[in-house]
Amino acid sequence: MLQKLPSFPGIAGPVVVIVMDGYGVPKSDVGSAIAAAKKPTLDSLFARYPHVLLRAHGSAVGMPSDEDMGNSEVGHNAIGAGQVYAQGAALVADAIASGAIWQGEAWQQVVAGAKAGRGVVHFIGLFSDGNVHSHIDHLKAMVLRARDEGVKAVRIHALLDGRDVPETSALEYLEPFEAFLAELQAGGFDAQIASGGGRMTITMDRYDANWKMVEQGWHTHVLGRGEQFASASQAVRALREKHPGTIDQDLPAFVIGKDGQPVGTIEDGDAVVFYNFRGDRAIEITRAFEEGAEFDKFDRVRAPKVTYAGMLQYDGDLKLPKRFLVDPPAIRDTMSEWFAKSGVAQFACSETQKFGHVTYFWNGNRSNKFDGETWQEVPSDVVPFEQRPWMKAAEITDAMIAAVQSGKYKVLRCNYANGDMVGHSGHFRAATMAVEAVDLALSRLLPAIDAAGGIALITADHGNADEMFELDKKTKQPAQNPDGSFKAKTAHTLNPVPLILYDNVSGGKLALKAVEGAGLSNIAATVANLIGFDKHAAWDASLLDVR
Ligand SMILES: O=C(O)[C@H](O)COP(=O)(O)O
Ligand SMILES: [Mn+2]
Ligand SMILES: [Mn+2]
C-alpha cells in the first residue's frame, strides 16, 4: 500500500485525469488547428487555472533521441507508470547494434525454420523511419543478416506509412530500398518486395476495430491476391494516378507479380517476421498467423504452417506472439497497480480507437485489470474520422459523468481521441471541429466533477492537431504543394503538452510546480498526492504544490 501523506489528507472527491490525445502546445499558431478552433472552455481553463507544460517526446518518454516525436504508447506508458522506460524503438536499435538480437533463440529459430523449408523469410511491417511502430533500418539489418546466415530468399510486405512521416513520402523510402535489394539480388541472394498497401487499408487494425483490414492484408501478403504490379514503386505511382489525392496511409493494397504470378505468397515452411515493435496494431495479424482452427475472425482460406516471430512481445498477459526477437520494456509499479493495492477504485473509459491506450498502455502493456478497476469501451465509428470529427466525445462524456456521479470511483481517467485521430487525417477544418468537440465535452464533464467535489488534471499524450501543415524549415510558414495548397502534416509533433489543474475545491490551496524538464511521468505522483498518498519510490516527482 502507498504511504499516506503526513501533511495533506487529499481531496474529498474524485480525481479525473483527462487525456486529450494529440493536443500539443506549439510555439507558433501557424497551422495549428487548436489555435483556430473555437474553444471557450479550454481558453478559460488556461486563463484561470494553474497549468504547466510537460515534455511528451524524445528521452522524456523513452525514445532513442529527442528528435523522436512522442506517441500514444510511450505517452500512456509514461503517464500510467510514472516512470520512463527505454521503449521498443530504443530496445530494438540497441539489440541490433550490440548483435544481441541475432544470438536470441527467436532469431535463430526464424533462420533455422526457413532453412528447413523453402529457405524463405518474409518481413511484414510498417515501411518508414517513423519510429512509432517500426524503423526501416531494423528491416535492413535483418535482411542483411538473413543473407549472411544463408537464407536463400527474403520477401518484404511493405505497409505504406504517411501517418508517422510526411503524407506522400512512400517513394522516398521505396526507391532507395528497391535499389538496396537490387544490389543484394546481384549477389545471388533473392530479395524482393512482394506486396504492400496503405497501413490504414490493410493489416494494421487495432483493438478489434475493423478486422476487414486484417483480412485484406492476409489476402495480399499470404495469398497474393489483388491488383498486380511489377514493382512496389510502380504500384505506388499507378495507384496515386488512379486515386488522386489519396495519401499513403490510405492507398489500396497491391501485389508484386511476374507474368501474372505473385512473387511472394506465404507458404508452409516459410518464416515470417512481423517487424513492428509496437503492439496495438500488431496483435490482430499476429493472431491470424498463430491461432489454429479456432481462429474465427475471418476465413483465412489457407493458414500456412510458418515459423512466426514478432519484433517484440506485443501482449505480456496474452503471451502474444509466442516467439519474439527482442524483450519488451518490463514496465512495473504502475499507478493503477499501486492504487489498486491501496484500495482505490478506478474507472477508465475511451472509444475503441484509444481504449487500449487508456487501459493496456496505461497499465504498462497489460490487458488484465487490477483489483477495483472498471473499464468502459465506447465503440468507435468505422469511417475516416475527418467525416465524423466529433467521434465519440459525447458518449465518452456521458459515461464519465455517470461514473463520477455514481460515487464509486476515486480515480477516473479517459481519453478523447479527436485531436489525434482527426489530426492524422491532415484535414485542417475537421481537426478544428475535433478540438471543438473536446471543448464541448469538457464543458459538460467539468461541472459534474465540481458537483462531486472533485478535481481534474487535463493533459495530453503528445501533439498532433497543433501542427497541421508541414512548415518550411527556413521561413517557418506552411510549405506549399506545386498547386499552391499547403502541405498537410499528418504525424505527431514534438511540442510539449499542457497539464491543467482544474480545482474548484481547495480554495487556492493547491497549485502546480513548474519543474525544469517535467514530463508525462510526473503525472502519476501528482495524482497520488491529490488523493492523499505519497508517491511510489519508483515514480518521478509530483508536481503538486500544497500551500
Ligand atoms: O498508430 C497510429 O495511429 C499512429 O502511428 C500513432 O498514433 P498514436 O500513437 O496516437 O496511436
Ligand atoms: Mn496519442
Ligand atoms: Mn496518433
Side-chain angles (χ1 to χ4, degrees):
M1 166 152 182
L2 296 170
Q3 299 293 308
K4 282 273 174 196
L5 278 179
S7 51
F8 177 61
I11 62 162
V15 174
V16 183
V17 185
I18 301 169
V19 178
M20 304 184 292
D21 210 301
Y23 191 109
V25 179
K27 285 202 192 71
S28 136
D29 285 348
V30 177
S32 166
I34 294 175
K38 282 206 170 49
K39 44 176 197 333
T41 313
L42 280 155
D43 290 343
S44 95
L45 288 173
F46 281 103
R48 295 180 37 217
Y49 292 88
H51 58 273
V52 294
L53 293 182
L54 299 179
R55 282 164 49 88
H57 78 286
S59 53
V61 285
M63 297 298 288
S65 89
D66 283 341
E67 308 297 303
D68 288 304
M69 63 201 182
N71 66 70
S72 291
E73 175 182 46
V74 300
H76 286 77
N77 279 171
I79 298 173
Q83 314 152 61
V84 180
Y85 285 86
Q87 287 284 355
L91 296 171
V92 173
D94 289 351
I96 290 174
S98 72
I101 189 170
W102 320 126
Q103 308 316 318
E105 212 182 334
W107 174 261
Q108 292 181 7
Q109 287 173 350
V110 163
V111 172
K115 284 183 175 171
R118 302 188 303 156
V120 183
V121 181
H122 298 264
F123 295 99
I124 310 174
L126 187 59
F127 196 78
S128 78
D129 57 1
N131 233 9
V132 173
H133 295 267
S134 71
H135 198 298
I136 196 169
D137 288 352
H138 305 165
L139 170 64
K140 281 182 159 179
M142 288 188 297
V143 169
L144 290 174
R145 183 72 187 193
R147 176 200 60 179
D148 294 348
E149 292 197 26
V151 165
K152 275 206 251 126
V154 298
R155 292 291 180 265
I156 288 104
H157 304 266
L159 298 164
L160 308 175
D161 191 348
R163 186 171 174 92
D164 299 327
V165 295
E167 59 170 3
T168 48
S169 55
L171 292 174
E172 290 165 37
Y173 299 100
L174 281 172
E175 285 172 346
F177 192 80
E178 284 173 340
F180 161 79
L181 292 184
E183 267 181 39
L184 301 181
Q185 195 87 5
F189 167 64
D190 181 11
Q192 300 180 50
I193 298 180
S195 76
R199 57 175 284 181
M200 299 308 280
T201 310
I202 54 169
T203 315
M204 277 177 63
D205 182 42
R206 66 178 167 204
Y207 305 144
D208 296 337
N210 182 12
W211 272 93
K212 279 260 164 253
M213 281 171 64
V214 187
E215 177 169 15
Q216 226 200 315
W218 186 268
H219 280 246
T220 308
H221 314 311
V222 178
L223 308 178
R225 291 185 185 166
E227 198 174 352
Q228 280 194 14
F229 299 87
S231 75
S233 50
Q234 281 187 28
V236 166
R237 283 205 182 81
L239 291 169
R240 280 182 182 162
E241 224 164 86
K242 199 162 153 194
H243 306 273
T246 302
I247 60 178
D248 295 346
Q249 55 179 330
D250 301 321
L251 280 176
F254 57 84
V255 172
I256 308 307
K258 215 175 161 198
D259 309 324
Q261 284 305 307
V263 301
T265 56
I266 301 180
E267 304 292 336
D268 282 346
D270 292 355
V272 176
V273 175
F274 194 75
Y275 67 86
N276 288 10
F277 44 77
R278 175 163 145 175
D280 56 349
R281 296 188 184 277
I283 283 174
E284 291 173 36
I285 186 72
T286 294
R287 287 187 54 189
F289 274 107
E290 287 199 329
E291 285 182 17
E294 74 282 9
F295 182 79
D296 61 359
K297 295 300 178 184
F298 58 85
D299 177 7
R300 289 177 293 192
V301 184
R302 60 183 179 84
K305 289 189 187 50
V306 297
T307 306
Y308 181 85
M311 182 60 99
L312 230 73
Q313 186 183 44
Y314 301 132
D315 190 315
D317 288 333
L318 304 178
K319 301 270 175 277
L320 208 93
K322 292 190 193 72
R323 187 181 290 105
F324 48 94
L325 302 180
V326 176
D327 287 331
I331 301 179
R332 298 185 43 197
D333 299 319
T334 60
M335 77 168 130
S336 296
E337 177 176 354
W338 281 96
F339 290 165
K341 286 182 173 155
S342 308
V344 173
Q346 303 173 76
F347 181 81
C349 179
S350 188
E351 61 176 280
T352 308
Q353 284 294 338
K354 300 287 175 181
F355 182 66
H357 293 32
V358 82
T359 56
Y360 164 84
F361 288 152
W362 190 283
N363 285 359
N365 302 344
R366 294 173 48 111
S367 48
N368 294 337
K369 297 185 190 91
F370 291 105
D371 286 346
E373 269 194 294
T374 301
W375 295 353
Q376 186 167 340
E377 176 180 351
V378 177
S380 285
D381 293 322
V382 183
V383 295
F385 290 110
E386 66 274 20
Q387 296 175 6
R388 303 277 194 292
W390 40 86
M391 299 182 71
K392 296 296 175 192
E395 291 81 353
I396 293 167
T397 306
D398 294 342
M400 289 300 291
I401 292 173
V404 168
Q405 286 175 345
S406 76
K408 286 196 217 155
Y409 307 104
K410 186 70 187 172
V411 176
L412 302 93
R413 57 191 195 261
C414 68
N415 175 304
Y416 288 112
N418 311 63
D420 183 64
M421 294 305 289
V422 185
H424 280 302
S425 75
H427 283 242
F428 188 86
R429 177 65 188 120
T432 65
M433 294 176 78
V435 173
E436 288 167 2
V438 174
D439 192 80
L440 185 67
L442 292 175
S443 77
R444 296 178 51 219
L445 177 54
L446 297 178
I449 297 171
D450 287 333
I455 279 182
L457 283 171
I458 301 150
T459 189
D461 56 340
H462 53 75
N464 187 335
D466 40 302
E467 280 176 24
M468 293 297 295
F469 300 122
E470 302 283 348
L471 296 187
D472 184 281
K473 287 203 175 68
K474 278 196 209 120
T475 64
K476 302 282 183 242
Q477 292 302 307
Q480 294 190 351
N481 291 311
D483 68 358
S485 61
F486 292 152
K487 246 186 169 348
K489 174 177 160 85
T490 53
H492 297 169
T493 70
L494 297 165
N495 292 321
V497 298
L499 179 69
I500 304 168
L501 181 73
Y502 176 78
D503 160 27
N504 291 329
V505 298
S506 81
K509 205 173 159 222
L510 301 177
L512 291 175
K513 292 180 216 167
V515 174
E516 181 67 29
L520 295 176
S521 58
N522 296 95
I523 293 176
T526 307
V527 178
N529 284 181
L530 280 168
I531 58 171
F533 287 110
D534 201 352
K535 74 178 190 73
H536 186 280
W539 298 349
D540 289 342
S542 165
L543 301 176
L544 191 70
D545 191 1
V546 185
R547 293 176 175 152

